[in-house]
Amino acid sequence: MDILFKILIYAPPFIIAVVLHEVAHGYIAYKLGDPTAKIKGRITLNPISHIDPVLTIAIPAMLILFGSPIIFGGAKPVPVYPNNFNNPRKDMAIVAIAGPITNFIFATFSYILFYLILFYEQIIPLPSFALLLIINWLAISIIVNIILGVFNLFPVPPLDGGRILVGILPINLARKVNSLERYGFMIVILCLFLGVFDTILNPFLKFTE
């Protein structure tokens, strides 16, 4: 597939997925008493406010260029200050789970719209290139949102799954999990090289086939 066309079909659904993920974090944090994301202008669908040069551009671009079967990345993390919450541990877990839940909801929406367009295209034909583009966007949106949601539920801080664990475990165990945050990025990279995420994500991706 031509690299420019690959970027054209991957970039819009990927950017939408990561932006919605971060907006969900910021919005729920705001509702729970932390206005930081709102003050910094991060509760917005404008992708410019969420783009991170490495997470949003460099990593996905490298994966696309090297033909990786799994494309992932992220947006600039929304700033959240747990001390603004009434119940910091519990509320932080709620903020964390909001991102993956939003991705799963949008994956479902894309899935429904994908089949509706295929159905109605038989009645009201669209121009071939426009139809190809929309169908590809929706198909990639399903996959990207599932990958982003499942990936972020991996139970290692600073990923959302780690934040959720810290919020629901007894305090002694929560502290031990939280102490892993300094090694979190290295653990994630190691899991990527060992194929752990491939094993976790494959059943979800097969569901979309």
Side-chain angles (χ1 to χ4, degrees):
M1 185 185 294
D2 182 83
I3 188 64
L4 291 177
F5 182 67
K6 209 169 185 181
I7 291 171
L8 178 64
I9 65 168
Y10 273 99
F14 174 77
I15 290 172
I16 290 170
V18 297
V19 166
L20 288 176
H21 184 99
E22 293 303 326
V23 168
H25 285 321
Y27 178 76
I28 296 301
Y30 173 66
K31 286 297 183 181
L32 290 173
D34 176 25
T36 310
K38 184 173 177 62
I39 291 170
K40 291 183 178 290
R42 296 296 308 282
I43 306 180
T44 174
L45 295 177
N46 182 355
I48 294 173
S49 300
H50 301 281
I51 288 175
D52 179 272
V54 176
L55 288 173
T56 316
I57 299 172
I59 291 177
M62 285 176 59
L63 293 171
I64 291 172
L65 287 172
F66 286 104
S68 171
I70 295 179
I71 308 297
F72 72 93
K76 184 166 56 178
V78 163
V80 177
Y81 290 92
N83 288 341
N84 288 327
F85 298 140
N86 290 327
N87 188 330
R89 279 211 307 144
K90 175 186 141 188
D91 291 348
M92 194 65 201
I94 295 171
V95 169
I97 203 170
I101 286 177
T102 299
N103 289 127
F104 295 142
I105 290 172
F106 200 68
T108 303
F109 171 78
S110 299
Y111 184 85
I112 293 169
L113 194 55
F114 178 87
Y115 281 101
L116 282 175
I117 286 176
L118 286 182
F119 175 76
Y120 281 108
E121 194 274 334
Q122 298 174 25
I123 303 170
I124 310 173
L126 295 171
S128 58
F129 181 76
L131 179 64
L132 177 65
L133 200 56
I134 292 169
I135 286 176
N136 272 284
W137 277 340
L138 290 171
I140 296 300
S141 177
I142 297 166
I143 295 168
V144 165
N145 277 283
I146 289 174
I147 289 175
L148 192 61
V150 174
F151 177 81
N152 273 281
L153 288 175
F154 192 66
V156 174
L159 296 180
D160 295 330
R163 305 285 191 206
I164 294 165
L165 266 186
V166 170
I168 64 177
L169 286 174
I171 188 65
N172 290 336
L173 287 175
R175 283 174 180 158
K176 289 179 181 178
V177 172
N178 198 49
S179 69
L180 294 173
E181 181 159 354
R182 71 189 78 172
Y183 312 109
F185 186 70
M186 290 184 288
I187 293 171
V188 169
I189 295 297
L190 180 62
C191 288
L192 282 169
F193 277 108
L194 293 175
V196 173
F197 290 116
D198 291 348
T199 303
I200 294 170
L201 289 167
N202 279 337
F204 295 95
L205 295 180
K206 283 180 181 177
F207 175 75
T208 65
E209 293 177 354

